[in-house]
């Protein structure tokens, strides 16, 4: 992404966040000290400010959150780049060029972004809720945190940073995520198996 900081990708993990900026659907994401509440994800990143990381954020939405993100970029100009727009082409470039995908949704019935990230080999760090918990396996294809607070998020991100220093283990997790199949062919087979099982039980006199 033009304007994003240059760094050695072998030493500095690149994380990203792509979504509509809202409190209800995406994240309770607010700059610590700004006039908005719930300084969760940004506070988590601030807790890791001494670590070598970089972050690209792409999205639009709540003006207070947009202002908070601009403040975060001003505080960490060598770490953070904020792109307040929707751009599908750039989003795929970010997925492809990032190491980590942050999706700390307060709730998430399904979620497509984490599946896109997995396909690109971009390891997700997600809140263990709804479809995120169903599609990301902790310490296998990504990193989950149970509590939606800065400390839990920071700990999950730190776990990802620790794995990033082990290239062999990192590549192994990437490959496991890229091999996952969330297509309708797989879902259809599972639905058919459940249907056939019910038919069999009913024909056998079962419930």
């Amino acid at each position: 992404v033009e304007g994003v900081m240059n760094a050695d990708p072998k030493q500095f993990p690149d994380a990203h966040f792509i979504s509509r900026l809202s409190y209800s659907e995406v994240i309770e994401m607010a700059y610590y000290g700004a006039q908005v509440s719930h300084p969760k994800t940004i506070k988590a990143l601030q807790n890791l400010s001494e670590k070598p990381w970089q972050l690209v954020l792409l999205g639009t939405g709540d003006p207070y959150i947009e202002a908070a993100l601009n403040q975060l970029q001003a505080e960490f100009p060598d770490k953070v780049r904020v792109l307040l727009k929707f751009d599908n082409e750039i989003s795929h470039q970010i997925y492809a060029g990032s190491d980590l995908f942050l999706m700390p949704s307060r709730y998430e019935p399904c979620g497509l972004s984490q599946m896109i990230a997995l396909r690109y080999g971009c390891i997700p760090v997600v809140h263990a809720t709804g479809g995120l918990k169903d599609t990301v396996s902790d310490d296998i294809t990504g990193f989950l945190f149970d509590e939606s607070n800065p400390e839990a998020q920071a700990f999950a991100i730190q776990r990802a940073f620790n794995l990033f220093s082990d290239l062999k283990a990192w590549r192994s997790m990437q490959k496991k995520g890229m091999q996952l199949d969330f297509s309708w062919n797989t879902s259809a087979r599972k639905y058919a198996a459940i249907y056939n099982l019910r038919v069999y039980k009913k024909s056998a006199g079962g419930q």
Side-chain angles (χ1 to χ4, degrees):
V1 178
E2 184 178 358
V4 174
M5 310 70 66
N6 294 318
D8 183 352
K10 294 182 180 179
Q11 297 185 23
F12 296 93
D14 294 321
H16 80 272
F17 172 83
I18 298 174
S19 186
R20 182 167 64 87
L21 303 177
S22 71
Y23 294 102
S24 59
E25 181 177 334
V26 186
I27 55 174
E28 295 178 281
M29 187 175 198
Y31 179 69
Y32 189 60
Q35 295 180 347
V36 280
S37 59
H38 306 299
K40 303 253 178 114
T41 300
I42 295 181
K43 177 80 181 296
L45 292 170
Q46 288 177 317
N47 290 343
L48 296 168
S49 61
E50 298 303 317
K51 304 292 184 180
W53 53 265
Q54 297 180 332
L55 177 68
V56 176
L57 301 105
L58 175 67
T60 61
D62 189 293
Y64 288 101
I65 299 179
E66 290 185 357
L69 293 176
N70 280 329
Q71 291 182 48
L72 181 71
Q73 178 177 267
E75 181 178 359
F76 299 110
D78 295 328
K79 288 180 177 290
V80 178
R81 183 66 71 243
V82 177
L83 304 174
L84 296 177
K85 61 180 179 179
F86 173 78
D87 191 308
N88 186 59
E89 182 178 352
I90 289 180
S91 72
H92 283 275
Q93 292 174 357
I94 294 174
Y95 279 117
S98 298
D99 303 299
L100 291 171
F101 170 63
L102 306 182
M103 193 169 182
S105 304
R106 187 170 47 159
Y107 55 84
E108 186 60 64
C110 180
L112 293 174
S113 298
Q114 80 281 7
M115 290 187 264
I116 296 172
L118 286 163
R119 179 64 67 176
Y120 272 104
C122 184
I123 293 176
V125 179
V126 303
H127 182 207
T129 184
L132 300 179
K133 188 176 181 179
D134 293 337
T135 53
V136 179
S137 300
D138 194 41
D139 281 328
I140 299 175
T141 58
F143 299 91
L144 279 70
F145 54 91
D146 294 319
E147 301 295 328
S148 183
N149 59 56
E151 293 74 23
Q153 293 186 41
F155 183 69
I157 295 170
Q158 182 60 64
R159 288 167 56 208
F161 287 175
N162 292 342
L163 186 71
F164 186 79
S165 63
D166 184 340
L167 182 59
K168 183 177 180 180
W170 185 265
R171 291 286 184 257
S172 176
M173 181 175 285
Q174 284 181 307
K175 290 177 181 178
K176 290 175 183 176
M178 295 174 75
Q179 290 169 355
L180 294 175
D181 184 357
F182 297 112
S183 69
W184 271 113
N185 287 335
T186 298
S187 299
R189 285 194 293 269
K190 291 180 179 179
Y191 277 117
I194 294 173
Y195 175 79
N196 290 332
L197 179 61
R198 295 295 296 169
V199 170
Y200 171 78
K201 286 184 176 181
K202 186 174 183 179
S203 62
Q207 297 298 320

